[in-house]
Amino acid sequence: MARPLYAEVMKIGFVGLGRMGSGMARNLLHAGHQVTVYNRTRDKAEALVADGAQVADSAAAAAHGAEAVLSMLADDAALRHVVYGESGLAAGLARGAAHISCSTISTACARELATEHAAHGQHLVTAAVFGRPDAAEARRLVVIVAGAPEQVQHFRPLFEAIGRQTTVIGSEPWQANAAKLCGNFMIASMIEAFAEAYATLRKSAVDPHAFLEAMNGLFGSPVYANYGRIIADEAFEPAGFALKLGLKDARLVLELAQEVSAPMPLASMNRDHLLQALAQGQENLDWSSFSRVAARNAGLESTQPRVLRWRSRVHPLQ
């Protein structure tokens, strides 16, 4: 086992080992914590044995004897599946232990889970994360946390083991889910802005990469730089975050907006463009591929060939 980075070594479980979860679990192991992992597809769990993980046969088994279990799953349904029932987290966690939910879920689901865990004498903490799989591997995630203050403070070493920044957003777990959904809304809006700008620039015979260089100097954001490059290169495979999941998040933020009576017209447009991209067969591409909607609306069926054809003509203003 790696030498602990923190004074206190915790015994924890981790459920959900997709591209994000695997990187997060590996960093917890590298920080010296004792981690028992569970994934529906067992080979993803066994891939972490070399890093020191123990493999469980169920979510309940991963939770047995743990101070906390972290979960990183795709949606409300997947999370409910691993929490409820005889083989679920709620059955396996001891009284006083915590479920730390890192999944992007609805605020309604978060409140439901808080009630379920409270009925078992357990705690729910939300630790929503921003970042793509490479950031998860590199311990560069931004973590947004909400829960009982004493729980948040106790488990802060776990948040620091998976991310570069931890922000406490509130005392109710669902508040961090609200913040995560609004953060993903802002990223989706940035993707739409790049899509529209690039479509206009390509039809103006301007290289989007040169434009991106200027925008990186203006905004100085790694998120702008990363997504701007992906969209300019149309590097939508493999998907760091699948479009079908982006559509789910667009739907959830609109549900949140309706719940609190806060109109979000831009979020509605993002949802419609994601749905349009889904209808065009892009569900398993990276969610930034919904930028193709703006390109198609501008008459750019395939961006680079169309730019070359346009350059062969004389601009009407010249």
Side-chain angles (χ1 to χ4, degrees):
M1 180 181 294
R3 182 172 62 86
L5 295 178
Y6 307 103
E8 182 180 1
V9 174
M10 298 186 192
K11 183 177 181 181
I12 58 176
F14 201 106
V15 175
L17 299 169
R19 294 183 66 197
M20 291 292 294
S22 292
M24 293 164 65
R26 187 171 289 110
N27 280 318
L28 289 164
L29 287 160
H30 290 173
H33 298 292
Q34 299 175 26
V35 185
T36 300
V37 296
Y38 169 73
N39 194 71
R40 185 177 59 179
T41 306
R42 189 179 175 89
D43 60 349
K44 292 184 178 179
E46 291 176 343
L48 291 167
V49 170
D51 295 282
Q54 299 293 315
V55 178
D57 293 325
S58 67
H64 182 71
E67 287 188 60
V69 174
L70 288 80
S71 62
M72 187 63 176
L73 297 150
D75 53 28
D76 291 15
L79 187 54
R80 288 188 178 106
H81 181 74
V82 302
V83 169
Y84 296 106
E86 294 181 359
S87 61
L89 290 181
L93 275 174
R95 295 184 66 86
H99 173 195
I100 300 174
S101 172
C102 303
S103 308
T104 304
I105 57 171
S106 68
T107 54
C109 183
R111 288 191 290 269
E112 173 192 318
L113 293 178
T115 300
E116 175 70 12
H117 284 299
H120 286 79
Q122 302 156 359
H123 305 281
L124 178 68
V125 175
T126 293
V129 297
F130 288 104
R132 293 168 69 85
D134 56 346
E137 287 284 352
R139 199 170 68 85
R140 297 289 296 167
L141 297 173
V142 172
V143 187
I144 293 184
V145 183
E150 64 276 11
Q151 293 292 311
V152 170
Q153 182 60 32
H154 179 69
F155 292 115
R156 184 175 284 271
L158 302 183
F159 313 142
E160 294 174 352
I162 63 173
R164 62 182 171 86
Q165 175 183 318
T166 299
T167 300
V168 179
I169 210 83
S171 60
E172 297 292 336
W174 67 267
Q175 292 175 308
N177 297 107
K180 175 62 194 298
L181 292 172
C182 286
N184 277 10
F185 153 72
M186 294 186 70
I187 296 172
S189 301
M190 176 198 65
I191 292 170
E192 176 66 26
F194 268 122
E196 294 181 20
Y198 283 1
T200 300
L201 290 167
R202 284 184 167 114
K203 296 193 77 173
S204 304
V206 174
D207 181 4
H209 294 89
F211 172 76
L212 176 60
E213 181 179 345
M215 293 303 98
N216 285 338
L218 179 63
F219 292 106
S221 164
V223 179
Y224 255 76
N226 194 27
Y227 276 103
R229 175 191 54 77
I230 290 170
I231 298 167
D233 293 343
E234 294 198 314
F236 304 133
E237 296 182 272
F241 183 59
L243 185 139
K244 59 186 177 182
L245 297 179
L247 178 59
K248 177 262 297 183
D249 291 353
R251 173 178 58 81
L252 293 182
V253 79
L254 286 169
E255 289 179 4
L256 170 64
Q258 181 172 333
E259 177 185 318
V260 298
S261 301
M264 296 184 74
L266 186 53
S268 295
M269 183 181 70
N270 291 339
R271 187 270 318 277
D272 289 349
H273 285 182
L274 281 157
L275 184 59
Q276 191 173 342
L278 182 73
Q280 296 292 323
Q282 297 173 212
E283 67 177 54
N284 292 315
L285 296 181
D286 192 82
W287 76 319
S288 57
S289 70
F290 88 84
S291 57
R292 287 179 172 171
V293 172
R296 285 192 291 264
N297 289 344
L300 297 169
E301 293 299 326
S302 179
T303 55
Q304 192 60 31
R306 183 60 179 264
V307 170
L308 294 175
R309 287 198 298 273
W310 189 91
R311 285 173 178 170
S312 67
R313 304 202 310 267
V314 175
H315 192 285
L317 299 182
Q318 289 179 334

